[in-house]
Amino acid sequence: MASNDKTTGAPRYADGAAHFELGEHTLKVPMSLHSENRQRLLKRLAKHKMTPRSVVLLQGGEDATRYSGDAEVIFHQEPYFHWAFGVLEPGFFGAIDVSSGRSVLFCPRLPAEYATWMGSITQPEDYRQRYQVDEVRYVDEMPEVLRGMTGTSGTLLTLRGVNTDSGKTTQEAAFDGISQFQVDNTFLHDEIAECRVTKTKAELEVLKFAATVSAAAHRTVMRQIRPGMKEYQLESIFQHHSYYHGGCRHQAYTNICGSGCNAAVLHYGHAGAPNDRTVNDGDMCLFDMGSEYYCYTSDITCSFPANGKFTEDQKAIYNAVLSASRAVMAAVRPGVSWVEMHRLSYRTMLTKLKEAGIVQGDLDEMMKVNLGAVFQPHGLGHLLGLDVHDVGGYLENNPPRPQIAGFRSLRTARVLEENMVLTIEPGCYFIDHLLDGALANPEQARFLVPEAIARFRGFGGVRIEDDIVVTADGMEDLAQGTIPRTVEEIEELMAEGQKEDIFIPQLHAQRKLGQ
């Protein structure tokens, strides 16, 4: 019989089969996911020559407040630590004995007053059962416990390396007394990052759940959008649906809700452009939003007209991008270069743009001058997992980053492997400064149809983004085909949604005033 944990809601079973869930409508995630990850790491470490009694030591995330105030930021666990241990609370450390696989968590020793303000204090044995590790001790006991694990000659293996997407360095474990230990931070980072590149069956189930929740939230946005709404209201609909129906408290990244010209701003939604424009009738919308479940992320983009009916120009651009997406999906399999997939997306999209009369001339010559980067300046996609731009893109022994426009924005240049999870996200945008640069470049300008380019200025853009896993002979859509993708499917869903009575505060106020 399961008993609900008062703090997290995660049931604990007498047989030790603990798991995380947030209700019957959410996914049950077994704690064995993390023990399997620890074993995978140990197998990779076995190829290194290490001193006897070496111990992996990872530090979890800490609570934080806003600047100098005491308002807390909602806690989010450090991804490497979550991958190895699944701990959802702040202030923890974790150790893994390399030779035996024995796992030890170190929890903070909380003062008695904690129970007054924050709730009952969880005891080490409760944490041990919850997270299915061999032992739990207090953080202030770390020097003694770790010395018992390493002896006088063992080594602490700590995490230090640079994330090639963010440029930030990982948080290396540190505690009072670590100077008394032999520490090696030279190789753990690349080994654990490489483990994270390919996903286990249990991890794939969590990623599928996050993707299907996001897909459902996107469908709800498409049904409820009305010209006259604010972009942030549509972002709110997405967040509400993914949290209420899927238990996804966190979003995987800052949501991008671009309408009209904002759809050409690749990372719209930031503090300087916070999804605050009014959506107009006839606008093309690009909504790039992904929810997160149990620290595992999704990243999905849908593009559609605000009024639910594509114009011929909108249809032409949308179908060019959809053709690129489907060409890549048909070609993805183990052994394929991601750089070549990016090149395929350019060629496919340019073919369709030529059919639409937007570009002209020989396709091979267009590819030689890299014309595709004018319309799609970002990379085709990225690795996905505990980070939305997941780690492992450019590890030491991986192919180097390409250096030409568009290609240099690829977040990995790797050859695909089974169980890699990536996004496929081709796009076509009409960005004034890129168009101006191409028109001023004779090598590229000869392929552009000037009157067509002029007509599309201010159009915005289209991006279609799906989350996929590479399988033995192809790929699988993590959202299981639940996102409408063709023009006809989108128009049908939006037509159904327009029959629904949606309360929109500002439009309701206008009706009351007789406007």
Side-chain angles (χ1 to χ4, degrees), residues 215-225 237-238 241 245 493:
H218 272 286
R219 294 197 306 273
T220 299
V221 170
M222 293 168 72
R223 295 179 71 94
Q224 296 189 8
I225 187 172
I237 291 170
F238 181 90
H241 192 283
H245 293 283
L493 177 66

Side-chain angles (χ1 to χ4, degrees), residues 360 365-366 369-371 374 434-448:
Q360 59 190 348
E365 295 300 314
M366 291 184 207
V369 301
N370 199 23
L371 190 67
V374 174
L434 294 181
L435 296 174
D436 292 341
L439 289 168
N441 178 352
E443 288 190 343
Q444 293 181 327
R446 61 195 174 104
F447 298 109
L448 302 177

Side-chain angles (χ1 to χ4, degrees), residues 308-357:
K309 192 68 177 176
F310 285 83
T311 66
E312 290 304 310
D313 279 348
Q314 290 171 342
K315 192 181 299 185
I317 302 306
Y318 186 88
N319 282 333
V321 176
L322 182 61
S323 294
S325 173
R326 291 192 163 175
V328 172
M329 287 184 174
V332 160
R333 57 183 46 82
V336 168
S337 162
W338 193 237
V339 175
E340 289 307 310
M341 294 297 94
H342 183 87
R343 184 171 286 110
L344 173 62
S345 74
Y346 275 2
R347 176 176 285 273
T348 306
M349 184 171 64
L350 289 172
T351 299
K352 294 299 181 181
L353 293 182
K354 180 178 177 180
E355 292 175 5

Side-chain angles (χ1 to χ4, degrees), residues 65-135:
T65 59
R66 295 181 189 170
Y67 306 109
S68 61
D70 62 357
E72 292 185 356
V73 177
I74 296 176
F75 178 71
H76 191 287
Q77 188 58 271
E78 196 281 326
Y80 284 101
F81 190 77
H82 185 79
W83 180 87
F85 293 103
V87 173
L88 297 174
E89 297 88 355
F92 275 68
F93 289 76
I96 310 167
D97 186 299
V98 173
S99 59
S100 69
R102 177 170 168 256
S103 56
V104 182
L105 281 174
F106 299 92
C107 66
R109 193 188 295 269
L110 300 171
E113 300 83 51
Y114 181 97
T116 301
W117 300 99
M118 307 295 283
S120 60
I121 297 174
T122 304
Q123 300 302 310
E125 177 58 21
D126 293 323
Y127 281 130
R128 190 193 69 77
Q129 292 184 44
R130 180 184 302 172
Y131 294 119
Q132 294 293 286
V133 293
D134 295 305
E135 186 177 2

Side-chain angles (χ1 to χ4, degrees), residues 245-394:
H245 293 283
C248 298
R249 187 177 198 183
H250 291 280
Q251 299 293 290
Y253 49 93
T254 301
N255 286 329
I256 299 169
C257 299
S259 62
C261 58
N262 290 340
V265 180
L266 299 184
H267 283 174
Y268 183 71
H270 57 84
N275 296 328
D276 59 357
R277 179 179 179 272
T278 300
V279 179
N280 295 318
D281 196 354
D283 279 348
M284 194 68 189
C285 296
L286 186 159
F287 289 176
D288 184 338
M289 302 183 286
S291 53
E292 175 185 303
Y293 184 78
Y294 192 60
C295 297
Y296 283 85
T297 61
S298 61
D299 187 358
I300 292 171
T301 307
C302 296
S303 299
F304 48 86
N307 61 13
K309 192 68 177 176
F310 285 83
T311 66
E312 290 304 310
D313 279 348
Q314 290 171 342
K315 192 181 299 185
I317 302 306
Y318 186 88
N319 282 333
V321 176
L322 182 61
S323 294
S325 173
R326 291 192 163 175
V328 172
M329 287 184 174
V332 160
R333 57 183 46 82
V336 168
S337 162
W338 193 237
V339 175
E340 289 307 310
M341 294 297 94
H342 183 87
R343 184 171 286 110
L344 173 62
S345 74
Y346 275 2
R347 176 176 285 273
T348 306
M349 184 171 64
L350 289 172
T351 299
K352 294 299 181 181
L353 293 182
K354 180 178 177 180
E355 292 175 5
I358 298 169
V359 300
Q360 59 190 348
D362 183 77
L363 188 62
D364 290 334
E365 295 300 314
M366 291 184 207
M367 294 295 293
K368 287 180 182 178
V369 301
N370 199 23
L371 190 67
V374 174
F375 298 98
Q376 183 192 305
H378 61 72
L380 172 65
H382 51 81
L383 296 167
L384 183 72
L386 285 167
D387 287 303
V388 68
H389 297 148
D390 213 16
V391 297
Y394 291 103

